[in-house]
Amino acid sequence: MSTPAANAARIAGRRFVVTGASSGLGLAAARALARGGARVVLAVRDVAAGERVAAELGGSTEIRALDLADLGSVRRFAESWDGDIDVLINNAGVGNLPKRRVTADGFELQMGTNHFGHFALTNLLLPHITDRVVTVASNAHRYGGIDLTDINWESRPYRLFASYGQSKLANLLFTLELQRRLVASGSPVLALAAHPGMAASNFGRHMPAALVVAAKAVGTVVQQSTEAGAAPTLFAATRDLPGASYVGPGGFGEMRGRPTLVGRSPQAADPDLARDLWTLSEKLTGVPFPLPS
């Protein structure tokens, strides 16, 4: 496999579901898992793109349609599932949208895809999951804030980076509360999070041109490869770690380097905020926590 960050013994023969696996960090993670002998399910919005990727990956791969910006698609994916899932990797995401856009269900697109879609998917699949859920967050959570009264930016002026930061903060709060609920229910399943640092990906495709130029200039100095960016996700997916752990690059500013446990903002560690976000997410998606508590 392409990275020493993962534990090879926790890959071969196991089933991994990776959302957004047809490009970027998701593809890098899926490639490493397939090379390690895993059974990899590529959960992708564009099935044709997924099929092209699967042909290149080889190994034991399967393509399934999933649009996280449409709760109907999320429900169809979950309802069609049969059998166990060892690890669910919530990788897919959108970011840096210059204008407010909405999902099929009326959620702001970044929050709807990055948080609400994965929230619903995880809870619907949880009865099938045997080992862990890994959700890909970002250091951008540090400049995000959660406004539970206007989570979809309907009243506030939309702000590009604040909106993305809110969705990534939600990923960490989701992980925190999911782990609490799993423990309370007596489940052995773990909830963990990871972030890629500053890695080559396709997230800049929606950014204004001036910001793309600036990002590329910075990237030439500190950016690491897509494969290195996927290493924290693989580390979280395969290593023995405490529940609610957060993994990122160990170098300066967590921008690059080998995977290690990293910190998070005070907001991202707030259990009360995590519970309140969970309650709101259940209400808006109509998807409850499926295990007895």
Side-chain angles (χ1 to χ4, degrees), residues 1-83:
M1 52 183 301
S2 62
T3 173
N7 182 348
R10 301 289 292 275
I11 293 177
R14 307 181 84 218
R15 178 179 280 173
F16 293 75
V17 174
V18 185
T19 68
S22 61
S23 64
L25 298 168
L27 172 56
R31 180 181 292 113
L33 293 168
R35 288 176 178 171
R39 295 178 294 160
V40 186
V41 177
L42 286 72
V44 297
R45 186 178 57 180
D46 186 337
V47 172
E51 290 174 345
R52 290 192 293 271
V53 166
E56 177 258 321
L57 292 182
S60 177
T61 57
E62 178 184 352
I63 310 303
R64 293 205 182 197
L66 174 66
D67 184 352
L68 289 157
D70 181 349
L71 291 180
S73 174
V74 174
R75 288 185 181 277
R76 287 190 293 275
F77 183 97
E79 289 167 358
S80 69
W81 191 267
D82 183 33

Side-chain angles (χ1 to χ4, degrees), residues 23-255:
S23 64
L25 298 168
L27 172 56
R31 180 181 292 113
L33 293 168
R35 288 176 178 171
R39 295 178 294 160
V40 186
V41 177
L42 286 72
V44 297
R45 186 178 57 180
D46 186 337
V47 172
E51 290 174 345
R52 290 192 293 271
V53 166
E56 177 258 321
L57 292 182
S60 177
T61 57
E62 178 184 352
I63 310 303
R64 293 205 182 197
L66 174 66
D67 184 352
L68 289 157
D70 181 349
L71 291 180
S73 174
V74 174
R75 288 185 181 277
R76 287 190 293 275
F77 183 97
E79 289 167 358
S80 69
W81 191 267
D82 183 33
D84 289 341
I85 300 169
D86 291 292
V87 181
L88 169 63
I89 298 179
N90 290 326
N91 161 82
V94 295
N96 303 315
L97 302 178
K99 295 182 179 180
R100 182 180 181 273
R101 294 167 57 186
V102 297
T103 69
D105 305 281
F107 304 137
E108 186 275 318
L109 186 58
Q110 293 176 117
M111 193 69 177
T113 303
N114 301 351
H115 171 64
F116 289 127
H118 281 127
F119 175 91
L121 179 70
T122 300
N123 281 293
L124 290 168
L125 290 179
L126 201 54
H128 298 280
I129 298 172
T130 62
D131 185 0
R132 66 189 68 190
V133 177
V134 177
T135 300
V136 178
S138 168
N139 256 342
H141 84 273
R142 296 183 181 278
Y143 56 71
I146 296 283
D147 185 341
L148 297 176
T149 67
D150 186 29
I151 203 152
N152 288 304
W153 297 83
E154 295 169 306
S155 301
R156 295 173 288 168
Y158 174 80
R159 292 185 293 145
L160 183 160
F161 294 117
S163 176
Y164 178 66
Q166 176 182 255
S167 73
K168 295 289 100 179
L169 175 57
N171 290 154
L172 286 171
L173 291 169
F174 162 70
T175 298
L176 184 65
E177 177 62 7
L178 176 58
Q179 180 62 34
R180 186 193 71 79
R181 287 171 175 260
L182 289 166
V183 171
S185 69
S187 171
V189 174
L190 298 175
L192 305 105
H195 81 82
M198 181 166 283
S201 71
N202 55 5
F203 257 48
R205 66 189 185 278
H206 299 297
M207 291 172 64
L211 291 179
V212 172
V213 172
K216 285 183 177 179
V218 174
T220 58
V221 179
V222 299
Q223 189 177 77
Q224 58 184 359
S225 69
T226 305
E227 289 71 25
T233 298
L234 294 167
F235 190 98
T238 62
R239 295 280 179 153
D240 289 327
L241 297 169
S245 291
Y246 188 28
V247 180
F252 176 76
E254 297 176 21
M255 290 185 287

